[in-house]
Amino acid sequence: MKILLVEDEPKVSAFIRKGLEEEHFDVEVAYDGTFGARLALGHSFDLIILDVILPGMSGFEVLKTIRQRDQDVPVLMLTALGTTTDKLEGFNAGADDYLVKPFDFPELLARVRALTRRRGGHGVKGATLTLADLTLDTAAKTVTRAGQPLKLTAREFALLELLLRNQGRVLSRAEIAEHSWEDSFDAGSNVIDVYVNYLRNKVDKPFPTKLIHTVVGMGYVMREDER
């Protein structure tokens, strides 16, 4: 899961980022509202954590800008402004949740997990995931590459969606199994490798640029380059 954290206080942002990364979230940080809005509009995130008092643009302004383009991405407002009026302004601007500083990290984590679960469930409509010329439509359950439709099984589709939602981050076989195979996974089998190979034959083999990469001893990652 990819999270955008817009927080101008270095100690607070470092604390949140460290905690979330320890929970295996991929966190990108912006230290002012203007850059935060640019990142939010230019990239795909599963959740945005947004402070209210920011240089450049206030959190409310950033949120309104985001909502003009994206009605689906969950936004958690994180701020010292904790009056009812402040909270109502945040919710009216399109916030999904509101957490007041100071806070305990376990509470923040619980809110993050609740919002990202909602993002991954039926509440998200029409979410499109892209990498290079590959496009996956989570609502229509379709995949295309270079404009060509790809026929995937349900298991292959779920695996590709997981890899795309975590593009740029190496996923271990255990993580893939946890998210895509649940209780039916046999830890002693090579089923993950087999399905990754199936997926490569459809997503990569017919095209000049490889997107699914093996990181020896660690797992798999989706990205454009050959690092």
Side-chain angles (χ1 to χ4, degrees), residues 128-149:
T128 300
L129 306 175
T130 61
L131 177 62
D133 56 354
L134 176 68
T135 301
L136 181 149
D137 189 319
T138 62
K141 301 299 182 186
T142 58
V143 178
T144 61
R145 182 156 187 196
Q148 300 180 33

Side-chain angles (χ1 to χ4, degrees), residues 57-71:
M57 297 172 64
S58 74
F60 294 138
E61 291 173 318
V62 173
L63 180 55
K64 289 175 183 176
T65 300
I66 293 169
R67 287 297 181 238
Q68 289 172 1
R69 294 269 300 275
D70 189 341
Q71 293 295 320

Side-chain angles (χ1 to χ4, degrees), residues 5 30 36-37 47 66 100 118 131 136 152 161 165 185 213 225:
L5 170 62
L47 173 69
I66 293 169
V100 178
R118 190 185 310 169
L131 177 62
L136 181 149
L152 304 184
E161 181 178 352
R165 286 191 180 279
F185 176 68
H213 303 278
D225 61 308

Side-chain angles (χ1 to χ4, degrees), residues 4-7 32-33 36-37 48-54 57-64 66 75-79 99:
L4 172 62
L5 170 62
V6 189
E7 167 61 67
D32 65 77
I48 297 174
I49 301 175
L50 182 61
D51 193 14
V52 169
I53 302 175
L54 293 166
M57 297 172 64
S58 74
F60 294 138
E61 291 173 318
V62 173
L63 180 55
K64 289 175 183 176
I66 293 169
V75 176
L76 169 61
M77 303 296 287
L78 188 65
T79 179
L99 186 59

Side-chain angles (χ1 to χ4, degrees), residues 138-170:
T138 62
K141 301 299 182 186
T142 58
V143 178
T144 61
R145 182 156 187 196
Q148 300 180 33
L150 306 181
K151 293 184 178 180
L152 304 184
T153 66
R155 184 75 76 186
E156 291 165 352
F157 185 93
L159 176 57
L160 181 60
E161 181 178 352
L162 177 66
L163 290 168
L164 279 172
R165 286 191 180 279
N166 291 275
Q167 57 186 267
R169 186 168 80 86
V170 178

